[in-house]
Amino acid sequence: MTDHLSQTMYILLVDDNPNNLKVLSEAIQGCGWKALMATDGESAIAQAEYAHPDLILLDVMMPGIDGFETCQRLKANSITENIPIIFMTALSDATDKVKGLEIGAVDYITKPFQQEEVIARLKLHLKISHLTKTLEQRVQERTSELSQSVQQLQQTQLQLIQSEKMSTLGQLVAGIGHEINNPVGFLGGNRTHIEQYVQDLLRLIQLYEQKLPDPDADIDELIEEIDLEYIVEDLPKLLASMDQGITRLKDISCSLRTFARSDISSKVEFQIHEGLDSTLMLLKHRLKDQGNRPKIEVVAEYSDLPPISCYPGQLNQVFMNIIANAIDAFDELHQHRLEQNIAHDTTNTITITTSFEHEEQTVTVCIADNALGMPVEVKERIFEPSFTTKPVGKGTGLGLAISYQIIVDKHNGKIDCLSTPGKGTQFMITLPI
């Protein structure tokens, strides 16, 4: 007897003949197996559901429901469908044997039977059943291992993509920051001198006008040609406009440095509002009126937040992905409205809310839009690598997958999404301090 049959096996004997049950029971117990007995189909089904035998020896001719119907009901029941069934019959008609095999039996024993034959067939089918179960278990284990390997590979790929992006971005921003800072500093410094020079020249002209109230014809002609009065009025405005431009360049340079800080190796203390503001600064051009699409209003409802220990550059990348996706959603919404000739009746709004939970010592960032929203089947897959609803060339499907990894794996936080089709989407990010 093989090892797998040395453990206790339960055989359900189903026969309306008590003598047959007695003979079979003695033979089965002689092999070290346990015999369960039933004299009709109904009680056989009930015992099979309750006791889960390893094999069923089933008589064909019984009162009530016969063996064929009993077998069909056992095979239709999810609890008993995998139990091997061997038919016992006094019939030798090949048609009955084919019918039994077609409805799910694994073998046939013809009465009168030899005990040795019965035991041999029982051993064979118990062994086959054991091998089948073992194979299924091994397949499940192997499938699970492969699934884990695929997930680990995807995670590793995302980490490599993330590291490469942040490294490249950090180098790019460092170079851009350096390139911007030098001319901006030059312009800022010179603008101060130009403003002083212009004021001095205007004072000189005013003094000339006071001292020489009656200039000759050539001077009058030149004053009229250059429109001196307009120049005197417009020069301060031009200088103020240049000042705003230089300030804007400084803000962009500062936002770039804040957005993509080189902080890969260790966490640092960081104020989340700085990251949100720098992200919005970099996306400012996309928030403006785009012709077909009205401007997007940003409503920032910030609470007092303590700084948190984190990787600022990576968090900012999450903010960038979510807010940029919201802008894309507004673009799609207005393209749809144009195609359907639907009037625009609401203000495009992205609302950013932050809060601090004292008891949990966590910070929450909520980014919500009132754009398209997502169907349930899309929302359930948004964090999967390579899943995207955008046209070819418009999206990689990695933005939210990387965002999930940054929040959950890198920062031990949570990121959740609520979305209602036709009403909007909301992302909630919770981070430990």
Side-chain angles (χ1 to χ4, degrees):
M1 192 178 297
T2 55
D3 289 341
H4 76 276
L5 295 181
S6 63
Q7 62 186 3
T8 302
M9 293 285 177
Y10 288 85
I11 314 294
L12 175 58
L13 308 173
V14 189
D15 198 320
D16 62 329
N17 186 324
N19 188 52
N20 285 345
L21 289 177
K22 182 175 181 296
V23 173
L24 287 168
S25 175
E26 288 174 355
I28 284 168
Q29 289 172 359
C31 292
W33 304 329
K34 297 287 185 182
L36 306 170
M37 287 176 279
T39 56
D40 60 73
E42 295 283 2
S43 60
I45 293 168
Q47 279 212 64
E49 287 183 338
Y50 173 76
H52 304 293
D54 296 286
L55 189 143
I56 299 173
L57 208 53
L58 179 60
D59 189 22
V60 172
M61 303 300 293
M62 293 185 298
I65 61 172
D66 65 9
F68 294 137
E69 186 175 345
T70 302
C71 179
Q72 287 175 320
R73 286 168 63 173
L74 286 167
K75 291 301 174 185
N77 188 331
S78 60
I79 300 173
T80 58
E81 63 181 345
N82 293 321
I83 302 173
I85 295 173
I86 298 177
F87 274 126
M88 296 183 296
T89 180
L91 305 173
S92 57
D93 190 342
T95 305
D96 287 319
K97 291 184 178 181
V98 170
K99 179 181 178 181
L101 295 171
E102 282 180 345
I103 63 176
V106 295
D107 205 350
Y108 246 102
I109 295 173
T110 305
K111 298 177 183 178
F113 47 75
Q114 297 291 327
Q115 286 192 25
E116 293 81 2
E117 179 189 2
V118 173
I119 296 302
R121 294 202 182 196
L122 289 177
K123 284 183 179 179
L124 172 64
H125 288 292
L126 285 171
K127 182 177 180 180
I128 291 172
S129 176
H130 173 77
L131 290 173
T132 301
K133 290 176 182 176
T134 304
L135 180 60
E136 288 175 353
Q137 184 179 355
R138 290 182 64 187
V139 168
Q140 288 177 353
E141 290 173 354
R142 186 62 179 148
T143 302
S144 177
E145 290 173 5
L146 287 171
S147 178
Q148 290 177 354
S149 297
V150 169
Q151 289 178 354
Q152 289 172 355
L153 179 61
Q154 288 177 336
Q155 292 293 94
T156 303
Q157 287 175 329
L158 284 177
Q159 288 174 358
L160 288 171
I161 293 167
Q162 165 69 8
S163 298
E164 186 63 28
K165 282 181 69 174
M166 293 308 295
S167 175
T168 304
L169 186 60
Q171 294 171 5
L172 179 66
V173 168
I176 292 174
H178 179 72
E179 292 298 323
I180 290 177
N181 281 341
N182 285 340
V184 166
F186 171 77
L187 288 171
N190 284 349
R191 191 206 62 79
T192 304
H193 296 302
I194 290 171
E195 185 175 24
Q196 186 61 54
Y197 297 161
V198 167
Q199 289 175 354
D200 290 345
L201 288 171
L202 290 177
R203 283 169 53 213
L204 177 61
I205 291 171
Q206 289 170 353
L207 186 59
Y208 266 119
E209 288 177 336
Q210 291 172 8
K211 298 293 184 182
L212 300 171
D214 299 314
D216 64 23
D218 290 340
I219 293 176
D220 276 339
E221 187 178 337
L222 182 58
I223 287 173
E224 186 176 347
E225 180 186 334
I226 66 173
D227 197 349
L228 179 60
E229 183 178 352
Y230 177 77
I231 289 175
V232 171
E233 179 187 348
D234 198 47
L235 258 178
K237 294 179 183 178
L238 290 177
L239 289 170
S241 177
M242 287 174 61
D243 192 39
Q244 289 178 353
I246 291 167
T247 302
R248 168 76 175 147
L249 283 169
K250 286 180 179 177
D251 288 342
I252 291 172
S253 177
C254 180
S255 295
L256 281 169
R257 292 196 302 275
T258 304
F259 178 80
R261 291 172 57 175
S262 300
D263 46 32
I264 305 301
S265 58
S266 62
K267 291 183 178 180
V268 296
E269 292 289 309
F270 181 64
Q271 173 53 255
I272 279 183
H273 293 158
E274 292 182 18
L276 289 166
D277 290 340
S278 69
T279 304
L280 291 171
M281 172 69 74
L282 295 177
L283 288 170
K284 192 172 182 179
H285 66 288
R286 291 199 60 198
L287 296 168
K288 294 177 180 177
D289 189 326
Q290 301 294 322
N292 289 335
R293 192 216 70 206
K295 73 173 182 176
I296 300 169
E297 299 283 353
V298 176
V299 178
E301 299 174 350
Y302 292 168
S303 300
D304 289 333
L305 299 185
I308 69 168
S309 178
C310 65
Y311 301 99
Q314 294 187 20
L315 281 189
N316 293 336
Q317 188 179 354
V318 174
F319 301 150
M320 175 69 78
N321 286 335
I322 293 173
I323 297 172
N325 279 348
I327 296 171
D328 290 341
F330 283 119
D331 290 344
E332 291 176 26
L333 171 64
H334 286 275
Q335 182 61 37
H336 171 72
R337 283 176 170 164
L338 283 174
E339 291 171 356
Q340 301 295 322
N341 198 24
I342 300 172
H344 172 69
D345 55 359
T346 56
T347 302
N348 298 332
T349 307
I350 295 174
T351 304
I352 304 175
T353 309
T354 62
S355 60
F356 171 47
E357 297 294 333
H358 289 271
E359 290 185 10
E360 290 84 0
Q361 287 291 288
T362 57
V363 164
T364 299
V365 179
C366 178
I367 302 173
D369 66 64
N370 62 342
L372 283 168
M374 291 179 277
V376 175
E377 60 272 17
V378 171
K379 189 185 85 66
E380 288 176 348
R381 299 188 60 194
I382 56 173
F383 295 118
E384 291 180 14
S386 301
F387 175 75
T388 180
T389 58
K390 295 176 182 176
V392 176
K394 292 290 185 180
T396 62
L398 296 176
L400 289 178
I402 289 175
S403 296
Y404 183 91
Q405 189 180 78
I406 289 170
I407 298 300
V408 177
D409 298 339
K410 296 283 188 179
H411 291 89
N412 298 316
K414 291 192 302 182
I415 179 168
D416 298 301
C417 175
L418 298 175
S419 190
T420 305
K423 292 189 176 180
T425 300
Q426 178 176 307
F427 281 90
M428 289 160 293
I429 299 164
T430 304
L431 298 163
I433 291 179

